[in-house]
């Protein structure tokens, strides 16, 4: 089949890489893509938020499947526009994508489904904000109700900082702090059947030791050697299936990728947040371990035939990804700097390590930075220690002026 992927980040590069290795994919297109995706897919310009434009492009290309990568097009209803012209699309409807588009909506769905989550208040006035902050106390967890590209959440002991963030939002969710390690668990669903993937852990803070500001994610690893072997089954039964069932009951069935951000607390598993698409950078490590060809699984989700899907096959290898970010990320990242060393990684580290592009573009004969998170350097190994060693060896070959990366991705887990 011909596949069109919408988006241009490292998540989409990971998706395109997996799809390019699938023998059933006869042609692979991406819009708008980036400099790295151009090596495995044909790129097309498109406004990702314009559903009609995406639908027209899919028609022109004769696409048999459209995969919508980022959250903003999903919340804008791009999947609906493609579905309306009869082309299978992997990604939820605009209404169902509100699970990520509105934290308040997600809390309401969780309440209806009986899903364990943090206690919370939805606030729209300074008085409500002050009451909620006072009720929970420090550490304060303040979440912008809408989309914020992974940067709308502030967790702080500083009351003034928490209040300032809350006042800057039109509508804000303030909730109790959840202790314990965090886990990202993705599930592919067609609105009825739910197929969980392997869990991963990502690193949100910019600096080593989980210091510094929140980011879109600075690295990830999978599997989680410290996690309970029954974790996936438990989350499927208590979180994923009840949420999918509740959305179907409400008349807004969720088809696509349901991402549960979880805290493993002393009182059990609690949902921190839901996303309506593959997470970045966790996708990079999860897909690195998936052996089952990807296109057929996504098509079964799009066509409502996921119950026909054979069990997924996974590599026993571990995977680690390290994000290389621009100077001054996540504040006002510098762009336009040349990236060197990519050919060296391809020559010396293949196939165990490879570079997935995020914020990059071609400028003449050079690849230059074009965003905050620039590259996801991903590696596999027999265990986390080997995967980590390979990932950082590849990172060491890359030269980008002023760039930054964390040096402790998967360190604790690899030493456990």
């Amino acid at each position: 089949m011909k596949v069109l992927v919408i988006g241009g980040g490292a998540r989409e590069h990971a998706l395109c890489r997996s799809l390019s290795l699938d023998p059933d994919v006869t042609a692979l297109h991406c819009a708008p893509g980036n400099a790295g995706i151009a090596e495995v897919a044909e790129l097309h310009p498109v406004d990702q938020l314009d559903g009609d434009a995406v639908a027209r492009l899919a028609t022109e290309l004769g696409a048999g499947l459209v995969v919508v990568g980022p959250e903003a097009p999903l919340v804008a209803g791009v999947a609906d526009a493609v579905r309306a012209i009869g082309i299978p699309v992997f990604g939820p409807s605009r209404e169902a994508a509100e699970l990520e588009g509105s934290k308040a909506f997600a809390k309401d769905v969780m309440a209806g489904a009986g899903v364990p989550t943090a206690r919370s208040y939805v606030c729209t006035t300074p008085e409500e904000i002050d009451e909620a902050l006072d009720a929970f106390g420090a550490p304060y967890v303040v979440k912008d109700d809408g989309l914020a590209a992974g940067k709308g959440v502030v967790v702080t002991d500083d009351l003034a900082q928490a209040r300032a963030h809350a006042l800057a939002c039109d509508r804000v969710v303030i909730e109790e702090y959840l202790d314990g390690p965090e886990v990202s668990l993705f599930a592919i669903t067609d609105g009825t059947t739910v197929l969980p993937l392997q869990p991963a852990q990502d690193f949100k803070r910019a600096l080593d030791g989980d210091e510094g500001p929140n980011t879109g994610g600075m690295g990830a690893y999978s599997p989680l050697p410290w996690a309970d072997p029954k974790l996936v089954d438990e989350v499927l039964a208590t979180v994923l299936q009840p949420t999918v069932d509740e959305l179907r009951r409400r008349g807004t069935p969720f088809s696509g990728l349901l991402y549960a951000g979880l805290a493993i607390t002393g009182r059990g598993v609690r949902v921190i947040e839901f996303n309506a698409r593959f997470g970045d950078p966790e996708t990079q490590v999860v897909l690195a371990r998936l052996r089952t060809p990807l296109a057929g699984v996504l098509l079964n989700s799009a066509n409502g035939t996921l119950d026909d899907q054979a069990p997924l096959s996974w590599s026993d290898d571990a995977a680690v990804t390290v994000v290389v970010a621009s100077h001054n990320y996540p504040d006002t990242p510098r762009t336009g700097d040349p990236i060197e060393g990519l050919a060296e990684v391809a020559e010396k580290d293949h196939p165990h390590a490879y570079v997935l592009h995020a914020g990059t573009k071609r400028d003449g004969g050079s690849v230059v930075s074009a965003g905050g998170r620039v590259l996801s350097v991903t590696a596999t190994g027999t265990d986390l220690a080997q995967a980590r060693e390979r990932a950082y060896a590849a990172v060491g070959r890359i030269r980008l002026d002023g760039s930054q990366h964390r040096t402790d991705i998967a360190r604790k887990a690899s030493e456990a």
Side-chain angles (χ1 to χ4, degrees), residues 213-248:
N214 258 340
T215 71
M218 294 299 290
Y221 69 92
S222 177
L224 311 181
W226 49 267
D228 187 329
K230 297 174 186 166
L231 176 66
V232 173
D233 290 340
E234 180 190 343
V235 175
L236 175 62
T238 62
V239 174
L240 299 169
Q241 191 71 57
T243 300
V244 168
D245 292 345
E246 173 68 11
L247 284 164
R248 188 176 67 253

Side-chain angles (χ1 to χ4, degrees), residues 188-236:
I188 292 171
T189 178
D190 58 6
T192 302
T193 301
V194 182
L195 189 65
L197 306 186
Q198 289 288 304
Q201 185 175 58
D202 78 331
F203 295 76
K204 286 287 185 217
R205 299 283 186 174
L207 306 176
D208 284 6
D210 293 325
E211 299 289 334
N214 258 340
T215 71
M218 294 299 290
Y221 69 92
S222 177
L224 311 181
W226 49 267
D228 187 329
K230 297 174 186 166
L231 176 66
V232 173
D233 290 340
E234 180 190 343
V235 175
L236 175 62

Side-chain angles (χ1 to χ4, degrees), residues 206-207 218 323-330 372 400-406:
L207 306 176
M218 294 299 290
V323 170
V324 177
S326 294
H327 174 73
N328 206 37
Y329 176 77
L400 171 62
D401 187 47
S403 68
Q404 54 176 316
H405 65 270
R406 282 184 57 160

Side-chain angles (χ1 to χ4, degrees), residues 144-213:
D144 190 333
D145 181 54
L147 292 181
K151 298 172 208 162
V153 179
V154 165
V155 181
T156 180
D157 288 321
D158 185 330
L159 177 58
Q161 184 188 0
R163 190 170 189 273
H165 181 65
L167 290 170
C169 305
D170 288 336
R171 185 159 76 150
V172 66
V173 174
I174 296 172
E175 62 185 40
E176 68 175 326
Y177 176 75
L178 296 175
D179 63 333
E182 295 185 11
V183 174
S184 299
L185 185 61
F186 302 160
I188 292 171
T189 178
D190 58 6
T192 302
T193 301
V194 182
L195 189 65
L197 306 186
Q198 289 288 304
Q201 185 175 58
D202 78 331
F203 295 76
K204 286 287 185 217
R205 299 283 186 174
L207 306 176
D208 284 6
D210 293 325
E211 299 289 334

Side-chain angles (χ1 to χ4, degrees), residues 57 96 165 187 354:
L57 177 60
H165 181 65
Y354 48 89

Side-chain angles (χ1 to χ4, degrees), residues 23-40:
D24 287 337
V25 176
T26 53
L28 183 58
H29 302 269
C30 186
N34 61 39
I37 294 173
E39 296 175 13
V40 294

